[in-house]
């Protein structure tokens, strides 16, 4: 302090400060002067003008809510539509008695449910009392007529024409497209209230939720002159609302239906991607639900029915379901083993039907109890040998298994443009330590390498991972948006597919080895899916089956036949595939919950979807040429 | 606390002095806040709840003010940099884990309370600048100015990221006033103003879409007839129709017919002007003017650089709020979310403003009575 004081000139500083204070005071007085001048201008000079304006201030500004953008599939079929509907609104300031008794009297003319009332009261609080709040949405013609007859008895109540959302594809695309619902108090918390002024609905699930801000648009306004009771007499000024953008999805609604129907009466999921763009061609979770039910507030009974349905129709199996991938993981593990050089693909390994770890009696069994004999890598994939992969896994080790699994996206969200995706689990030592507080045991390596144990994946991840193989490491991030259209300017903007970081193998031939083996799964008479998928192929398909255990079998017990196992304990059936092999147009993952065999149950579903899609392509002739080229030439 | 031992206070003024309350400032602030309660009662459509709510906040604010007045100023000098750092840390935390509302992260949820850390920075930035210059000889050298600018820039950058442009500007104003009173050279001030004008296009292209929209609405109210534009049209009608003598308390038809939105928060001045007329407006300006003048007087009378800069910049910030709000409601300035000091409905601004005057009072009432 003392040293500082020494170099300070206190008198000068005080003087400086005084000058500054005077300067500030002058500025202040100037600003106050400006303000006073402004107020005098308004209150004295223009008083007469504003007094008149105030007296006939009978104009009212009303909100014109924007029209929500439509959602189309890639061929222009509507997935979400707006239909005209009438709704009943109450302007609390204008009712003759109390709002409550008005509603009571109204309910004798039109149905007003408890949910309607709840929505009304929660929204009424957020709305100025001179604005209307809807009490009933989508009135039918009879109700409109009944109200019109009684209109005079209900001052402050009015019918308004509006639009309501509906979903032409219904249950087939329910999880994908999602639905809108009434804006709740908790929705309002995070919203730009100005943008939602006058709006009643907001996206709650699927594309409707993830592209909410694009679909919604901006409200407009109109200035109306009103009479003393507040009823609009004429319109003075109009600022139209800005409609939300329409979306075009990459989805093919015909294929969506094919995939849904192919699942038959089983629960499961199908995800088909275009590996060249990452665009979702079909994404099905079965059973679906009727999204129209949610739009104007689902009834309690309907909601309970959906919630209590043992098939869980509200559960999006395609991107939320986390299942052990079973043997579908083997091609990815094979690439890991080839890249790290722990195996020679041509070297044959003896498969006696089981192996044991040193110092343990536990038998890790092959799905084929009698064993597969001497087999190399290609045969191991074709026949889905567990023993070959147990040995491969031991050499590879959990760290590499984790590394190569992660490289193909397992254990991470794909980042698709849909809400509530799950990440699945690609276990590692660190993961187990963090989640189970236990070290990694060698036996767990064996079951991880065949996609059991801790490992889980979503059908979307499997489709994404098989796209990586199809494109030899140059796949794209999955997405459902293809383009959006601005309804005002009629301009269409294409979504730009985002390339994922490429997977560069040390030796590119490793792709060929694995793809050939996956081709063998279907082509080779010994291939697990040859009988179920490989008959009368129109296009060369590469695939891999998987059957994921749900409940462990007791040691030494022979697997009982399928029919004797309770449904909920049966294996999940999985199948991943892509086609045509040379120039892949579709990559697919199929999951059938408790379906049993991957090849026999999930395989044919994949085949039906692939056939349907490739047959629908305009240049399917050239694709067939591709197949003949493949027969003579093999992989490039 | 003081150099002489005190006896039990006998009179009210002694009692006030004992509690380090500056009578004139206290009277003016209380007068303003009580006037505010009357205005709010009218503006809210005679809602007792609003008045009770605001009274509770007034009580909290006054308690905070009196509590802060007890603390001797050199404590503030010592604490300012630490509170400043805390404020910056909380701003970073807000960006990382803040509650997102309307696409902006401004709130930090502490379980019991949600609060805006930017409010801390609003108050503590001028204090930190004042504390910084306290140890330097004035007028400041260019390097000191640069360092002080950095002190302002850090929280401002974080608040801009939230994004909350209005609050960022208020922090710049608070810190800028402290720099001004420290004696920032005129040519530097002019240079900065030119630089700011030159940087405007750059800022423009970095604004969020909605921020650009808002600026465009400032320039042309017809662009947003439902939002800012509508407010301005209606508030001008309210003020203008008030005339010289006003329509009388509770008689402002503009506000009561609900033509004027947000009549109890940012646009409360329109209701006041409609009901009390030009006389009421001049009266309110006189009260504000008195508060600012008293603050500047305290600054001039204060005994060191920190106290001078703190009292002066807090007072000027107060004026800035009042001017921006009234200017906006009267259609003189673009619409920004700044409340009318001590009158608008809202707790944070009330408590923070009274707290800042608690510090000003502490500066005045803790003067060392040197034998002169």
């Amino acid at each position: 302090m003392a040293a500082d004081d020494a170099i300070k000139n206190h008198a000068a500083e005080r003087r400086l400060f005084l000058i500054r204070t005077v300067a500030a005071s002058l500025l202040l007085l100037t600003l106050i002067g400006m303000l006073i001048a402004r107020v005098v201008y308004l209150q004295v000079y223009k008083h007469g003008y504003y007094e008149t304006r105030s007296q006939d201030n009978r104009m009212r500004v009303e909100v014109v809510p924007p029209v929500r953008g439509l959602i189309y599939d890639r061929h222009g079929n509507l997935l979400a539509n707006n239909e005209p509907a009438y709704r009943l609104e109450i302007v609390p300031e204008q009712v003759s008695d109390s709002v409550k008794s008005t509603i009571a009297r109204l309910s004798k003319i039109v149905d007003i449910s408890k949910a309607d009332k709840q929505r009304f009261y929660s929204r009424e609080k957020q709305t100025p009392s001179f604005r209307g709040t809807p009490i009933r949405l989508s009135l039918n013609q009879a109700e409109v007529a009944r109200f019109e007859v009684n209109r005079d008895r209900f001052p402050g109540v009015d019918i308004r024409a509006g639009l309501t959302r509906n979903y032409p594809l219904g249950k087939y695309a329910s999880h994908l497209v999602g639905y809108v619902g009434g804006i709740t108090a908790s929705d309002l918390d995070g919203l730009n209230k100005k943008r939602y002024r006058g709006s009643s609905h907001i996206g709650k699930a699927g594309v409707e939720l993830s592209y909410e801000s694009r679909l919604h648009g901006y409200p407009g306004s109109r200035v109306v002159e009103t009479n003393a009771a507040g009823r609009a007499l004429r319109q003075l000024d109009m600022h139209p609302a800005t409609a939300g953008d329409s979306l075009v999805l990459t989805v093919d609604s015909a294929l969506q239906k094919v995939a849904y129907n192919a699942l038959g009466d089983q629960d499961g999921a199908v995800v088909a991607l275009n590996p060249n763009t990452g665009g979702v061609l079909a994404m099905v979770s079965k059973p679906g639900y009727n999204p129209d039910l949610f739009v104007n507030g689902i009834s309690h009974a309907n909601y309970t029915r959906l919630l209590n349905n043992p098939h869980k129709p509200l559960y999006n199996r395609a991107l939320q379901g986390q299942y052990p991938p079973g043997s579908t993981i083997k091609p990815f593990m094979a690439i890991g083993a080839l890249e790290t050089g722990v195996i020679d693909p041509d070297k044959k390994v003896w498969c006696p039907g089981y192996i044991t770890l040193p110092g343990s009696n536990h038998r890790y069994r092959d799905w084929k109890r009698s064993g597969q004999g001497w087999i190399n890598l290609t045969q191991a994939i074709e026949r889905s040998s567990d023993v070959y992969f147990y040995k491969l896994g031991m050499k590879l080790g959990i760290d590499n298994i984790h590394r190569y699994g992660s490289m193909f996206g397992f254990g991470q969200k794909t980042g698709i443009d849909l809400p509530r995706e799950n990440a699945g689990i690609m276990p590692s030592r660190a993961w187990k330590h963090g989640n189970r507080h236990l070290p990694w045991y060698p036996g767990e390596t064996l079951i991880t390498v065949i996609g059991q144990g801790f490992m889980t994946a979503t059908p979307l991840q499997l489709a994404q991972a098989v796209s990586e193989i199809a494109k030899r490491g140059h796949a794209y991030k999955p997405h459902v948006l293809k383009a959006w259209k601005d309804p005002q300017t009629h301009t269409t903007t294409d979504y730009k597919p985002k390339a994922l970081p490429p997977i560069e193998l040390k030796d590119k031939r490793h792709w060929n080895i694995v793809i050939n083996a996956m081709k063998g799964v279907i082509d080779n008479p010994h291939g697990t899916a040859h009988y179920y998928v490989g008959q009368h192929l129109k296009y060369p398909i590469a695939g891999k089956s998987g059957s994921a255990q749900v409940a462990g079998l007791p040691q030494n017990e022979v697997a009982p036949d399928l029919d004797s196992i309770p449904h909920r304990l049966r294996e999940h059936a999985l199948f991943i595939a892509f086609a045509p092999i040379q120039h892949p147009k579709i990559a697919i993952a199929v999951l059938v919950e408790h379906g049993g065999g991957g090849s026999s149950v999930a395989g044919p579903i994949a085949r039906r979807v692939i056939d349907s899609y490739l047959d629908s392509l305009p240049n399917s002739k050239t694709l067939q040429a591709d197949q003949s080229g493949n027969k003579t030439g093999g992989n490039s | 606390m003081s150099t002489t031992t005190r006896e039990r206070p006998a009179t009210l003024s002694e009692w006030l002095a004992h509690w380090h309350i500056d009578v004139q400032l206290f009277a003016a602030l209380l007068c303003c806040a009580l006037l505010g309660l009357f205005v709010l009662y009218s503006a809210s459509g005679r809602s007792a709840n609003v008045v009770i709510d605001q009274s509770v906040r007034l009580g909290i604010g006054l308690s905070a003010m009196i509590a802060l007045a007890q603390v001797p100023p050199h404590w503030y000098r010592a604490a300012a940099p630490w509170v400043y750092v805390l404020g910056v840390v909380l701003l970073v935390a807000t960006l990382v884990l803040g509650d997102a509302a309307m696409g902006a992260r401004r709130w930090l949820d502490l379980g019991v309370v949600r609060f805006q850390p930017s409010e801390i920075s609003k108050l503590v930035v001028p204090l930190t600048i004042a504390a910084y210059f306290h140890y330097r000889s004035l007028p400041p050298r260019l390097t000191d100015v640069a360092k002080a600018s950095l002190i302002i820039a850090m929280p401002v950058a974080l608040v801009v990221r939230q994004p909350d442009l209005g609050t960022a500007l208020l922090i710049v104003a608070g810190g800028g006033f402290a720099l001004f009173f420290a004696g920032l050279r005129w040519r530097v001030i002019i240079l900065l103003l030119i630089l700011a004008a030159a940087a405007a296009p750059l800022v423009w292209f970095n604004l969020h879409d909605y921020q650009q929209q808002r600026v465009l609405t400032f320039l042309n109210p017809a662009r947003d007839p439902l939002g800012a534009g509508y407010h301005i049209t209606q508030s001008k009608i309210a003020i203008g129709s008030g005339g010289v003598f006003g329509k009388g308390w509770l008689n402002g038809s503009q506000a009561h017919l609900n033509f004027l939105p947000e009549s109890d928060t940012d646009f409360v001045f329109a209701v006041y002007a409609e009901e009390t007329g030009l006389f009421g407006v001049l009266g309110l300006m006189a009260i504000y003017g008195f508060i600012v003048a008293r603050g500047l007087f305290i600054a001039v009378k204060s005994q060191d650089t920190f106290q001078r800069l703190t009292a002066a910049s807090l007072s000027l910030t107060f004026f800035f709020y009042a001017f921006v709000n009234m200017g906006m409601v009267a259609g003189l300035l673009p619409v920004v979310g700044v409340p009318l000091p001590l009158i608008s409905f809202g707790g944070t601004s009330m408590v923070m403003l009274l707290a800042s005057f608690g510090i000003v009072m502490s500066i005045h009432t803790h003067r060392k009575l040197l034998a002169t």
Side-chain angles (χ1 to χ4, degrees), chain A residues 250 273-280 416 464 467 475-480 497:
Chain A
T250 56
L273 300 175
N274 177 351
N276 303 299
T277 61
V280 170
I416 192 170
Q464 162 65 18
S467 298
Y476 288 80
K477 187 168 155 179
H479 61 93
V480 296

Side-chain angles (χ1 to χ4, degrees), chain A residues 138-149:
Chain A
S138 350
L139 297 175
N140 59 36
Q141 291 296 333
E143 286 174 318
V144 171
R146 269 208 302 280
F147 176 77
E148 287 295 347
V149 171

Side-chain angles (χ1 to χ4, degrees), chain A residues 163-191:
Chain A
L163 295 168
T164 191
R165 200 74 157 167
N166 77 347
Y167 299 98
L169 219 54
K171 64 179 179 182
Y172 292 109
S174 49
H175 291 102
L176 178 74
V177 178
Y179 53 84
V180 296
I183 299 175
T184 63
S186 61
D187 289 331
L188 275 173
D189 231 19
L191 278 186

Side-chain angles (χ1 to χ4, degrees), chain A residues 485-563:
Chain A
K485 287 185 204 163
D486 184 322
Q488 277 79 34
T489 61
H490 301 285
T491 49
T492 301
T493 314
D494 285 326
Y495 172 92
K496 283 191 188 59
K498 294 181 181 65
L500 290 168
I503 298 175
E504 301 287 2
L505 297 190
K506 282 179 218 151
D507 187 341
K508 294 211 186 308
R509 281 173 302 184
H510 294 159
W511 292 119
N512 297 347
I513 295 172
V514 170
I515 290 171
N516 252 330
M518 288 174 74
K519 182 171 180 286
V521 168
I522 287 155
D523 271 4
N524 192 307
H526 290 290
T528 51
H530 179 67
Y531 176 74
Y532 302 104
V533 184
Q535 308 299 313
H536 312 294
L537 278 185
K538 296 182 194 162
Y539 316 93
I541 300 177
K544 182 70 195 81
S545 59
S547 306
Q549 273 183 26
V550 177
L553 282 182
Q555 275 289 297
N556 298 322
E557 193 173 292
V558 178
D561 73 24
L562 191 64
D563 294 333

Side-chain angles (χ1 to χ4, degrees), chain A residues 231-396:
Chain A
R231 200 172 288 284
L233 297 177
R234 67 192 177 101
Q235 184 171 307
L236 300 174
D237 196 8
M238 173 79 180
H239 296 264
T242 307
D245 289 348
S246 288
L247 304 185
V248 180
L249 304 189
T250 56
V251 175
D252 180 323
S253 53
L255 194 67
Q256 186 81 10
K257 279 188 186 171
V258 166
Y260 192 91
N261 292 332
L263 281 164
D265 53 7
Q266 317 217 56
D267 302 340
V270 177
V271 178
L273 300 175
N274 177 351
N276 303 299
T277 61
V280 170
L281 299 171
M283 181 182 277
V284 160
S285 175
K286 190 166 185 179
Y289 53 89
N290 178 4
D292 291 338
L293 286 178
F294 286 87
V295 172
N296 287 323
I298 188 165
S299 72
H300 188 68
N302 277 334
Y303 193 58
T304 315
R305 205 170 300 141
L306 284 173
L307 274 186
N308 293 342
N309 185 329
H311 298 283
K312 296 193 212 159
L314 295 179
Y315 174 49
N316 186 350
R317 291 163 168 84
L319 75 169
Q320 288 179 290
Q322 301 173 95
Y323 305 91
S327 302
T328 58
I329 198 73
K330 285 173 184 168
F332 309 100
M333 294 293 115
I335 284 177
L338 289 167
E339 279 291 286
T340 45
V342 298
I343 55 159
D344 175 347
D346 299 323
K347 196 182 159 200
K348 297 215 168 185
V349 168
W350 175 247
C351 167
Y354 66 90
I355 67 161
T356 53
L357 283 175
S360 161
N361 292 325
H362 186 94
R363 285 186 170 192
Y364 293 90
R365 295 185 178 280
D366 201 283
W367 68 271
K368 194 171 180 183
R369 293 247 149 183
S370 56
Q372 315 255 19
W374 286 100
I375 50 171
N376 65 15
L377 177 66
T378 302
Q379 291 164 318
I381 291 176
E382 284 171 358
R383 304 173 189 188
S384 202
S385 163
D386 292 329
V387 166
Y388 185 96
F389 273 88
Y390 289 145
K391 291 180 177 170
L392 177 151
M394 276 196 288
K395 289 181 185 162
L396 199 53

